[in-house]
Amino acid sequence: MKFHRLMPSLVCVAILSACAGTGGQVAATAKPAPTMAAAMAEVDAAVLAGQTDKAYTLLRSAGATFPVDKTPWVRMAQMRFDSTDYGEAIVSALEALERDPDDTLANSIVAVSGLRVTSKALADLSQKNNLSGNVRTEAVELAKLLRTSLNEEVLVSNGGRPPVVRPRDTGGKKAISNSSTARPASNDPFGALK
């Protein structure tokens, strides 16, 4: 009878020692905490293998795992920009800018992607002769802003026609800008910016 009473105790001891033994093994085989460098290495491997969908999935996962880090968003913006998906490039770059408003690459992607989307839309409107009214006024204002920002009087060439004479601030003297003849002709109003 003593053996019969001892049996449940032995079973409990065996179970507890088995649990204690496996606990050490589980701790030894647990995955290390993820790092941004490891996530980006996985993304690089996916891109090299031509698995861009997998790369985007990994980047979104890294963005969720490291919510304050701009790295996955900048990388996604650059990939979208390189594949000429400018709308998505802007969205991803804006996510990066929420995390770091001073990121030069993200700001550049937003600006250039926006210009490329705008240039395509303006070219489409011009082909259909529908560039009028408020749209035309806004396009003219945008061109003025671009000329000022780029410190250029002429953004694109005018297709071989004589240069347009525009007064330039030269201390009261008039000057003619002939810089348009140095650029190749293009139907794209922002082609020289590409």
Side-chain angles (χ1 to χ4, degrees):
M1 272 210 176
K2 288 183 180 181
F3 182 71
H4 187 56
R5 287 184 187 172
L6 210 64
M7 184 60 136
S9 297
L10 288 174
V11 170
C12 283
V13 169
I15 290 173
L16 288 175
S17 63
C19 289
T22 5
Q25 291 173 347
V26 170
T29 59
K31 284 187 173 183
T35 65
M36 182 58 72
M40 292 299 105
E42 281 186 79
V43 169
D44 290 339
V47 169
L48 284 174
Q51 301 170 328
T52 54
D53 288 342
K54 180 179 179 183
Y56 288 125
T57 300
L58 290 168
L59 286 167
R60 281 190 287 279
S61 175
T65 303
F66 304 98
V68 295
D69 197 325
K70 68 180 180 177
T71 306
W73 298 104
V74 172
R75 180 70 186 275
M76 207 176 328
Q78 183 67 59
M79 288 174 62
R80 296 289 190 190
F81 180 85
D82 291 343
S83 66
T84 69
D85 187 355
Y86 301 121
E88 288 296 320
I90 292 170
V91 170
S92 296
L94 289 174
E95 284 287 340
L97 290 172
E98 282 185 23
R99 289 150 178 85
D100 179 7
D102 297 327
D103 187 274
T104 304
L105 180 58
N107 275 306
S108 297
I109 289 172
V110 169
V112 176
S113 294
L115 287 172
R116 289 190 178 174
V117 168
T118 302
S119 118
K120 183 182 179 329
L122 287 173
D124 291 347
L125 282 172
S126 293
Q127 284 179 347
K128 296 175 183 172
N129 294 322
N130 286 336
L131 191 59
S132 61
N134 289 339
V135 174
R136 179 170 175 67
T137 303
E138 287 184 35
V140 169
E141 291 301 316
L142 174 64
K144 286 179 187 175
L145 176 64
L146 286 171
R147 281 193 299 270
T148 302
S149 298
L150 297 172
N151 200 21
E152 292 284 332
E153 289 188 36
V154 178
L155 291 175
V156 295
S157 72
N158 54 7
R161 293 175 290 197
V164 176
V165 177
R166 289 197 175 104
R168 191 170 36 175
D169 186 11
T170 56
K173 298 178 183 176
K174 298 278 183 178
I176 297 175
S177 172
N178 197 16
S179 61
S180 65
T181 58
R183 293 190 179 101
S186 171
N187 290 333
D188 184 353
F190 295 99
L193 299 175
K194 292 182 181 177

